[in-house]
DNA sequence: TAACCTACCAAACACTTGTTAGGGAAGCTT
DNA sequence: AAGCTTCCCTAACAAGTGTTTGGTAGGTTA
């Protein structure tokens, strides 16, 4: 999935690895705090000095662990997408029916929001602009694969007669996709509802509607 | 609705009005192009030079028409919210039933997305962060009023037995609100569907669900 | 013709940005 | 004790930021 352009670039100067060998644990810690700041303020509005502040160090010190501000963002998003697709692929390989597949995908999505709240928030805000950049081409790849999985499942459901045939299926896809992922804008881990409970209610609304049956 | 802090600020230096008297039509033109750039790149990632480029002039020339980059954003959002509430208030004053009110609000929302695509996109991306700033306090006010209108209508619908009583009503509110407004991320005016047609399909999904009734 | 107004340009300003270079303190290894 | 590694700091850099100041071409008014 992840096509790493890495050092293949047209840029003559090879991209530097950090001078020495920082510990992966510390990297993770710093990436987590960076992700929080990115999510709260937006990537562009976040200065490396703010990240350093949140981490209790000075701006320049971050460059012992990372090549650049952009590579922090890169690693945050790539890690999230890797884990997301691990979950999705498991669901898609399970050979469930269309309705059960949708239910499992939605539930899995809310679990990802629960586990990677900051990364999902960043993704939501920045993905569209980033996807055009070569370095973040894997975002576009992911979106394509994502759309294929959901649209395919919906089409299968319409063919099987479990989903309504009178709706624009592309509209339905965007509808479900968006309703799930925008939840990250208000969801806070450890809140009233568990991810599974939220998924259950969302699915109930999406599948059966909010109106009383007459 | 709009509490204009204006020049009352604690800041000692009085905020300057533009030196002379630029034409309101030209202001509108420039605000429209500025809104497009803000929507496409994000407010923080947008430099005044990019706006000036898009408008075919130099950066400094913008300051003949506007006090600052921030005041452009302010005027864009304030104008949008004013028109939004004109529409909403008309709907809310019509004395419709709960279901008809929701239908009218959703339809009106898609019309606003159609008319103010750029402003809505900016609002979606930046409102949360901006609302904390005193200058943009009216954003928070609007959100409060917004929530009251929708939640009230939903509660009335549950009481009247037209909406399901087994759902978390706050979750339902966020669900409907988000499904409507995120549409701005993919909606393009002049596309396949009119705002009314999109509203019709969205309402069909939200109210009746995407699953086939058994 | 002279005065004036509108809408822009040219050039600079102070500041913030991401990033780099050199160094040093602590801990571990030999 | 000497050397090495890890992790951070100090101090600066060039580029880019929003904004200001003074000027000026062209039209309108007197």
């Amino acid at each position: 999935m992840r096509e790493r352009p890495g050092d293949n670039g047209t840029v003559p100067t090879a991209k530097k690895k950090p001078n020495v060998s920082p510990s992966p644990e510390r990297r993770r810690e710093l990436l987590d705090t960076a992700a929080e700041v990115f999510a709260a303020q937006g990537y562009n509005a976040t200065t490396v000095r703010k990240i350093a502040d949140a981490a209790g160090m000075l701006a320049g010190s971050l460059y012992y662990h990372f090549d650049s501000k952009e590579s922090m963002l890169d690693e945050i998003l790539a890690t999230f997408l890797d884990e997301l697709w691990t979950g999705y692929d498991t669901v898609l390989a399970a050979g469930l029916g269309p309705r059960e597949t949708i239910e499992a995908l939605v539930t899995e999505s809310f679990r990802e929001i629960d586990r990677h709240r900051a990364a999902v928030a960043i993704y939501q805000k920045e993905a569209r602009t980033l996807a055009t950049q070569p370095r973040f081409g894997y975002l576009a790849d992911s979106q394509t694969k994502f759309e294929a999985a959901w649209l395919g499942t919906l089409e299968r459901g319409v063919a099987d007669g479990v989903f309504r045939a009178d709706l624009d299926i592309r509209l339905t896809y965007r509808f479900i996709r968006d309703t799930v992922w925008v939840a990250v804008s208000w969801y806070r881990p450890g809140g009233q509802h568990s991810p599974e409970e939220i998924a259950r209610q969302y699915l109930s609304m999406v599948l059966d509607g909010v109106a009383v049956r007459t």
Side-chain angles (χ1 to χ4, degrees), chain A residues 50-114:
Chain A
K50 284 184 193 166
I51 301 175
D53 271 8
M57 55 200 289
L58 290 184
S61 307
L62 286 172
Y63 290 80
Y64 171 71
H65 298 276
F66 306 101
D67 283 351
S68 64
K69 178 188 173 188
E70 196 182 71
S71 73
M72 295 187 216
L73 177 63
D74 192 356
E75 195 163 335
I76 289 168
L77 293 178
T79 305
F80 157 61
L81 281 185
D82 278 359
E83 298 202 24
L84 174 69
W85 279 107
T86 301
Y88 269 26
D89 286 337
T90 305
V91 169
L92 294 171
L96 303 170
R99 178 172 175 135
E100 289 74 22
T101 302
I102 294 289
E103 288 175 348
L105 285 177
V106 168
T107 306
E108 177 62 26
S109 301
F110 278 108
R111 288 210 188 94
E112 297 294 337
I113 292 177
D114 184 56

Side-chain angles (χ1 to χ4, degrees), chain A residues 117-195:
Chain A
R117 198 188 87 267
V120 175
I122 299 168
Y123 184 90
Q124 288 276 109
K125 269 196 208 167
E126 320 284 352
R128 186 165 307 253
T129 352
L130 290 176
T132 66
Q133 246 168 291
R135 173 168 196 173
F136 294 92
Y138 63 94
L139 293 179
D141 297 347
S142 176
Q143 278 168 14
T144 304
K145 196 178 162 193
F146 192 93
E147 179 169 341
W150 284 83
L151 262 183
T153 307
L154 287 175
E155 279 162 358
R156 199 151 52 90
V158 171
D160 290 7
V162 300
F163 297 143
R164 291 169 55 184
D166 63 321
L167 296 169
D168 182 318
I169 199 161
R170 199 159 211 89
L171 210 64
T172 308
Y173 157 65
R174 288 194 279 237
F175 172 73
I176 298 184
R177 175 198 61 185
D178 292 344
T179 54
V180 169
W181 291 106
V182 288
V184 76
S185 67
W186 53 262
Y187 179 75
R188 292 293 168 268
Q192 295 227 357
H193 307 288
S194 69

